[in-house]
Amino acid sequence: MDEEELEVVEELEAVLHLSPEVQQAIEQVFPSQDPLDRADFNAVEYINTLFPTEQSLSNIDDVVSKIRLKIRRLDDNIRTVVRGQTNVGQDGRQALEEAQKAIQQLFGKIKDIKDKAEKSEQMVKEITRDIKQLDHAKRHLTTSITTLNHLHMLAGGVDSLEAMTRKRQYGEVANLLQGVVNVLEHFQKYMGIPQIRQLSERVKAAQTELGQQILADFEESFPSQGTKRPGGPSNVLRDACLVANVLDSRIKQEIIKKFIRQHLSEYSVLFQENQDVAWLDKIDRRYAWIKRQLVDYEEKYGRMFPVDWCMTERIAVEFCHITRNDLSKIMRTRAKEIEVKLLLFAIQRTTNFEGLLAKRFSGSTLSDNVVKKPDPQPPVSTNPFLDDDNLTDESVLDKDSDLDKPKKPKLPENPFHGIISKCFEPHLYVYIESQDKNLSELIDRFVGDFKAQGPPKSTSEDAGAVLPSCADLFVYYKKCMVQCSQLSTGEPMIALSTIFQKYLREYAWKILSGNLPKTSSSSSGLTITSLLKEKEGSEVAKFTPEELCLICSILSTAEYCLATTQQLEEKLKEKVDLTLTERINLTGEMDTFSTVISNSIQLLVQDLDSSCDPALIAMSKMQWQNVEHVGDQSPYVTSIIFHIKQSVPIIRDNLASTRKYFTQFCIKFANSFIPKFINHLFKCKPISMVGAEQLLLDTHSLKTVLLDLPSIGSQVIRKAPASYTKIVVKGMTRAEMILKVVMAPHEPSVVFVDNYIKLLADCTTETFQKILEMKGLKRSEQSTMLDLFRQRLPAPPSGSENSSAALPAPTPEQESSRIRKLEKLIKKRL
């Protein structure tokens, strides 16, 4: 019977297998925490939960009774639900029939309402048929009257227009012509009628005649040949300009063109290429001449032309075009005579004139306005590239004061920028070459000043501060960048950025890297390839306090250069044209300063690390098997602490403004010193029990000093960074564990091996062999211990790092056997 029941259960499970979607819907509607309701129910796990141990099988009868009670309750619930659903089908069919009858009745009522609506609509159409006819007749009559009135106005207006044109009555013509043109637009759909087409042709003929007549009047008043001008404007010409506004725009453009050409004809003669005043040194005379001409125009002809023609601005713009072409031609001819001062003088005067035009005119007549990108608000920083004022050295170095400065309001764009000064751009190579030469001399002066002043004193207030030459360099960079951006935002800015890159690298190598102290004569560049080989008891070549201050000062300077170079790159991208921003890239220079920072930190670490080497060598040379009692810390520990207390406070005080790099120094020193200390521990062999205890005491003393390293010798006690503390604790704890293993007796061997595996996370054969050598075991004993270690070393699973120290888990075969026993016991009870 038991086997038959099991087969029935298996069939039921196969039939009642639900899809994941259905199972999820059931869980949402009927949430349950009962394991029996789970889709992935496992009978074996459930039974193991009920009976976790063999002692728990004593209450198996109670558990079986509870399960049977639950089964009876489920059967009662299922029976109730099934009976409740017996009459649902019959009730549903009856409700469906009633709904169908109601729909049929509703459909009949809707049809009746539709028929009545159609009859009502037909009745309304019959009532309003006569009213619609009257409305159409009224609309047609109104249109006819309006059209006849327009036709009368058009015919009379054309006759009057022709008569006034012959009499040159431009004042009356201006108003009449606009009205005639407006009325004629109403007759565009009647152009098929001969009379309307004839009136339209007469209007066009009158417009053509007016245009020719007005041009002739202007030609007579302002002849192209000769320099004699009339005494003042004419009222006839003023009215003629009003008529030209109504005529074709080409008439207006022709009038403007002829007048401006005649007005500027004297300029072309006075400033011909062969004239002395045409050269750059007398460029002021050009702008003075046009200023006088504009004043003269305002007095004589200001009221003759309509205001919307912007004649004053048009004259100024045409003057700018002529000047740009003339200057371009003469500079190409006399390119060898262009000097930097002369070029900058001409550019300054020209840009000043362009600024004057921007204040006076709106630039509405410019047809080729250059659209520039808006300058985004720069972030707050400590470099001289944040505002447009000339900064002094103190303001560049005063980082806190820069943060409080209000941002300057953004100036409006100058639509006339480059309208003349664009011609100087092909010759800006002279300016770029001059800046290259000036920067080369500046770098050489920095080098000479540094050699003359020497390294900063350890007691000086400037010890560890940013070098003044750094601020001078970036202030000069800013001056050049602003000046060049006023000259051009195109290729010259790219050339200037290339010059900046060149001398940033030279500053990094000549001023910063070139002045870093060397640890030995064999050092090449900034990379220390080898440390001094010290013999026991010999003096170590250490950096002097002045040299440590110099390294810290160079590190601080490199950090400032790194941050300011990044801001310089952003400023250059703001100043240059949008299409050229991708060519501005100072990443290589920022990497260079990062290299200087890294090398400076490495020098400080190697100096302190090498000063501790003799003490570590002395530790490894001691006869630790002869130590008879444990005392205070050993002399080598005192020596190491002395060197740390001698160097670290100087470095910390000089890196007070760059705390993150002092933290990097501490971390790198810990990562260098602790492995070296552990390697020298392995060289201390053989070690007695008392010697191991003394070494353990020394290790704890060094650990305490290293944990206090960031604030050692300081009156203000600060908590060490968590990242640094973690490195020290991890490394020195490993050293302590090694000594604890050495102190443990090696008999029995199994206990010793297990203790080693438990205390040390890196259970390697090499480390274990080094510990055996520290204990002074013979080769045969070491071989036996190594074989035992390999047998006891657990295979690391693909996850846990500390799995070797965990208790062994039961095997799958043992677990399966326990489950089978429990199943048999339950079947017997059931």
Side-chain angles (χ1 to χ4, degrees):
M1 291 299 294
D2 292 344
E3 294 180 356
E4 292 178 357
E5 290 178 357
L6 290 174
E7 291 178 357
V8 171
V9 170
E10 293 177 355
E11 292 177 358
L12 286 174
E13 290 180 351
V15 173
L16 295 178
H17 181 69
L18 303 177
S19 63
E21 293 80 6
V22 176
Q23 188 65 36
Q24 185 178 3
I26 293 174
E27 291 177 356
Q28 292 178 354
V29 177
F30 302 106
S32 174
Q33 300 296 330
D34 193 344
L36 295 173
D37 294 333
R38 296 178 58 184
D40 56 348
F41 174 74
N42 190 326
V44 175
E45 292 182 358
Y46 183 67
I47 293 172
N48 287 337
T49 305
L50 294 177
F51 306 104
T53 60
E54 293 183 2
Q55 290 79 4
S56 61
L57 293 175
S58 60
N59 60 347
I60 189 171
D61 295 333
D62 297 337
V63 175
V64 171
S65 300
K66 291 180 181 179
I67 294 177
R68 286 176 176 173
L69 179 60
K70 183 180 290 189
I71 292 172
R72 285 198 297 271
R73 288 178 180 174
L74 290 175
D75 290 339
D76 294 341
N77 292 337
I78 294 172
R79 190 179 301 109
T80 302
V81 172
V82 171
R83 289 176 179 175
Q85 296 295 324
T86 303
N87 299 326
V88 172
Q90 183 177 358
D91 295 341
R93 284 192 296 272
Q94 184 177 357
L96 180 61
E97 291 175 358
E98 293 177 356
Q100 289 176 347
K101 291 179 181 180
I103 292 172
Q104 289 177 357
Q105 293 175 1
L106 180 61
F107 182 76
K109 292 180 180 180
I110 292 174
K111 186 175 182 182
D112 293 341
I113 294 173
K114 183 179 179 182
D115 294 340
K116 291 179 181 180
E118 290 176 353
K119 291 178 181 180
S120 299
E121 183 181 1
Q122 187 65 28
M123 186 181 299
V124 171
K125 286 182 179 180
E126 292 176 358
I127 294 173
T128 59
R129 182 181 295 116
D130 297 335
I131 298 176
K132 287 184 178 180
Q133 291 178 354
L134 292 175
D135 287 340
H136 289 311
K138 178 182 178 182
R139 185 162 55 252
H140 293 161
L141 182 60
T142 303
T143 304
S144 301
I145 294 173
T146 304
T147 303
L148 287 174
N149 288 334
H150 287 164
L151 182 60
H152 176 70
M153 293 168 59
L154 180 61
V158 171
D159 293 338
S160 301
L161 182 63
E162 292 175 345
M164 293 177 183
T165 300
R166 289 191 294 272
K167 296 178 182 180
R168 282 184 167 78
Q169 297 177 349
Y170 295 135
E172 292 79 2
V173 168
N175 296 326
L176 179 60
L177 180 59
Q178 185 64 52
V180 170
V181 172
N182 293 337
V183 172
L184 189 60
E185 291 179 356
H186 294 283
F187 290 94
Q188 291 298 325
K189 54 185 177 181
Y190 304 116
M191 286 300 170
I193 302 173
Q195 290 80 1
I196 302 299
R197 187 168 59 252
Q198 183 180 3
L199 287 174
S200 176
E201 291 174 354
R202 288 175 61 188
V203 172
K204 293 181 180 178
Q207 288 177 327
T208 303
E209 184 180 355
L210 276 172
Q212 295 175 353
Q213 191 170 299
I214 291 172
L215 289 177
D217 292 342
F218 270 93
E219 182 66 28
E220 182 180 353
S221 300
F222 304 101
S224 300
Q225 302 296 331
T227 58
K228 186 178 180 180
R229 299 181 184 176
S234 170
N235 292 333
V236 175
L237 294 180
R238 183 177 66 246
D239 296 338
C241 292
L242 298 177
V243 176
N245 263 341
V246 184
L247 296 175
D248 189 359
S249 60
R250 288 177 294 178
I251 303 299
K252 171 184 171 182
Q253 296 297 331
E254 187 67 22
I255 294 172
I256 294 173
K257 182 178 178 181
K258 286 186 176 181
F259 179 81
I260 294 177
R261 184 170 60 245
Q262 193 275 340
H263 205 72
L264 296 177
S265 58
E266 180 183 353
Y267 174 71
S268 300
V269 176
L270 291 176
F271 293 92
Q272 289 183 1
E273 185 178 353
N274 56 0
Q275 298 295 326
D276 184 52
V277 294
W279 188 228
L280 300 180
D281 58 345
K282 297 181 176 61
I283 197 170
D284 282 342
R285 298 188 181 184
R286 295 177 181 266
Y287 305 134
W289 183 89
I290 189 60
K291 291 176 185 177
R292 293 193 300 270
Q293 293 301 314
L294 293 179
V295 172
D296 180 67
Y297 166 81
E298 292 288 350
E299 294 177 352
K300 294 182 178 180
Y301 308 104
R303 297 182 180 180
M304 187 175 74
F305 295 98
V307 177
D308 59 332
W309 284 23
C310 303
M311 285 299 295
T312 309
E313 181 177 330
R314 291 180 185 275
I315 294 173
V317 171
E318 183 63 24
F319 165 81
C320 293
H321 293 324
I322 295 174
T323 303
R324 184 178 63 191
N325 294 333
D326 290 350
L327 290 177
S328 299
K329 186 185 299 183
I330 194 172
M331 283 192 292
R332 283 196 301 269
T333 305
R334 304 171 64 176
K336 295 182 180 180
E337 301 179 27
I338 300 177
E339 298 178 354
V340 177
K341 293 183 178 179
L342 180 62
L343 181 65
L344 293 180
F345 167 78
I347 292 175
Q348 181 183 7
R349 295 294 188 270
T350 303
T351 53
N352 291 343
F353 177 72
E354 292 173 348
L356 182 64
L357 293 180
K359 294 178 181 179
R360 175 65 178 81
F361 306 115
S362 63
S364 58
T365 62
L366 295 175
S367 58
D368 53 349
N369 286 332
V370 179
V371 179
K372 293 189 175 183
K373 61 179 181 178
D375 292 337
Q377 293 293 339
V380 176
S381 183
T382 60
N383 57 67
F385 301 101
L386 292 180
D387 53 352
D388 294 328
D389 296 329
N390 292 328
L391 300 179
T392 62
D393 298 354
E394 294 180 359
S395 61
V396 174
L397 297 176
D398 190 2
K399 302 182 179 181
D400 296 333
S401 61
D402 283 347
L403 297 175
D404 299 330
K405 288 183 179 179
K407 295 182 179 180
K408 293 186 62 179
K410 185 179 176 182
L411 298 176
E413 294 291 342
N414 180 4
F416 293 93
H417 178 68
I419 191 171
I420 300 176
S421 57
K422 197 75 174 176
C423 66
F424 298 109
E425 187 168 324
H427 305 277
L428 286 179
Y429 66 88
V430 178
Y431 171 77
I432 301 299
E433 292 174 354
S434 173
Q435 297 306 321
D436 189 358
K437 180 180 178 182
N438 293 341
L439 284 171
S440 177
E441 295 174 354
L442 188 64
I443 294 295
D444 293 339
R445 180 167 65 83
F446 289 161
V447 174
D449 292 346
F450 191 92
K451 291 180 179 179
Q453 296 175 1
K457 303 298 181 181
S458 59
T459 58
S460 173
E461 295 181 357
D462 296 333
V466 177
L467 297 177
S469 60
C470 173
D472 294 341
L473 178 66
F474 282 104
V475 169
Y476 188 81
Y477 272 6
K478 182 201 170 179
K479 178 183 175 182
C480 295
M481 180 183 64
V482 173
Q483 193 174 47
C484 187
S485 64
Q486 294 174 351
L487 308 180
S488 172
T489 57
E491 289 294 334
M493 283 293 290
I494 301 297
L496 185 66
S497 68
T498 304
I499 298 297
F500 286 174
Q501 290 176 280
K502 173 183 176 182
Y503 289 101
L504 282 174
R505 291 191 297 269
E506 285 201 13
Y507 185 85
W509 294 117
K510 289 185 178 180
I511 308 298
L512 301 182
S513 298
N515 290 302
L516 280 175
K518 305 297 187 296
T519 57
S520 65
S521 59
S522 61
S523 300
S524 175
L526 292 180
T527 304
I528 309 301
T529 57
S530 62
L531 296 172
L532 292 171
K533 296 182 179 179
E534 299 294 335
K535 297 181 179 180
E536 183 178 359
S538 62
E539 293 293 332
V540 181
K542 281 177 56 63
F543 289 140
T544 63
E546 288 76 14
E547 289 176 330
L548 291 177
C549 292
L550 174 61
I551 296 174
C552 295
S553 179
I554 290 175
L555 191 154
S556 300
T557 304
E559 183 204 17
Y560 178 81
C561 291
L562 176 62
T564 313
T565 301
Q566 183 178 1
Q567 296 296 333
L568 173 63
E569 180 183 23
E570 295 174 1
K571 267 297 182 183
L572 286 171
K573 289 183 178 180
E574 292 175 12
K575 298 291 184 182
V576 80
D577 291 339
L578 278 173
T579 55
L580 301 176
T581 52
E582 295 182 357
R583 295 173 60 182
I584 303 292
N585 186 1
L586 304 183
T587 305
E589 288 65 39
M590 288 186 276
D591 292 342
T592 301
F593 289 118
S594 298
T595 303
V596 174
I597 294 173
S598 177
N599 290 333
S600 301
I601 296 175
Q602 190 63 27
L603 275 178
L604 296 173
V605 171
Q606 289 178 351
D607 177 64
L608 182 56
D609 197 22
S610 61
S611 65
C612 298
D613 282 348
L616 295 177
I617 295 174
M619 176 188 76
S620 61
K621 298 293 185 180
M622 288 181 62
Q623 302 296 325
W624 292 101
Q625 74 275 17
N626 298 330
V627 177
E628 298 179 354
H629 62 276
V630 178
D632 295 333
Q633 62 187 24
S634 301
Y636 75 89
V637 176
T638 304
S639 175
I640 292 174
I641 295 175
F642 170 75
H643 289 300
I644 290 176
K645 289 184 177 181
Q646 190 179 34
S647 299
V648 172
I650 298 176
I651 297 172
R652 181 185 60 245
D653 295 341
N654 284 278
L655 294 181
S657 59
T658 55
R659 292 291 301 177
K660 63 178 180 179
Y661 293 117
F662 176 69
T663 303
Q664 288 187 20
F665 160 76
C666 295
I667 291 175
K668 287 189 176 182
F669 174 72
N671 284 328
S672 174
F673 175 78
I674 294 176
K676 183 183 293 186
F677 173 73
I678 293 176
N679 289 335
H680 280 79
L681 272 184
F682 288 133
K683 296 179 182 179
C684 299
K685 53 187 178 181
I687 303 177
S688 64
M689 178 68 70
V690 178
E693 291 179 358
Q694 180 64 48
L695 276 174
L696 186 60
L697 175 63
D698 295 342
T699 302
H700 181 72
S701 299
L702 285 176
K703 180 179 179 181
T704 304
V705 171
L706 290 176
L707 289 174
D708 193 41
L709 180 71
S711 59
I712 193 168
S714 174
Q715 296 179 355
V716 180
I717 304 301
R718 291 185 178 180
K719 186 178 180 181
S723 56
Y724 170 77
T725 303
K726 182 179 179 181
I727 293 173
V728 173
V729 170
K730 182 180 179 181
M732 297 305 291
T733 302
R734 181 171 183 268
E736 291 175 343
M737 292 301 105
I738 291 173
L739 292 173
K740 287 182 180 180
V741 173
V742 173
M743 292 169 58
H746 61 278
E747 294 293 343
S749 303
V750 175
V751 176
F752 177 77
V753 171
D754 291 344
N755 189 34
Y756 167 74
I757 294 173
K758 183 178 180 180
L759 291 178
L760 291 179
D762 53 341
C763 303
T764 60
T765 306
E766 300 172 21
T767 305
F768 186 64
Q769 186 172 4
K770 291 178 180 179
I771 291 176
L772 296 179
E773 292 175 355
M774 292 173 69
K775 291 181 69 67
L777 297 182
K778 298 179 180 180
R779 289 291 181 183
S780 58
E781 294 177 342
Q782 290 184 21
S783 177
T784 305
M785 296 286 280
L786 285 172
D787 293 340
L788 180 61
F789 170 73
R790 294 189 185 97
Q791 295 175 5
R792 302 291 295 178
L793 183 64
S798 61
S800 177
E801 183 180 359
N802 298 326
S803 59
S804 60
L807 293 175
T811 61
E813 292 79 5
Q814 295 173 344
E815 185 71 17
S816 177
S817 176
R818 289 175 56 191
I819 293 174
R820 284 196 297 270
K821 291 179 180 179
L822 183 60
E823 288 177 351
K824 292 180 180 179
L825 184 59
I826 293 174
K827 287 181 180 179
K828 291 180 180 179
R829 294 295 183 92
L830 293 174

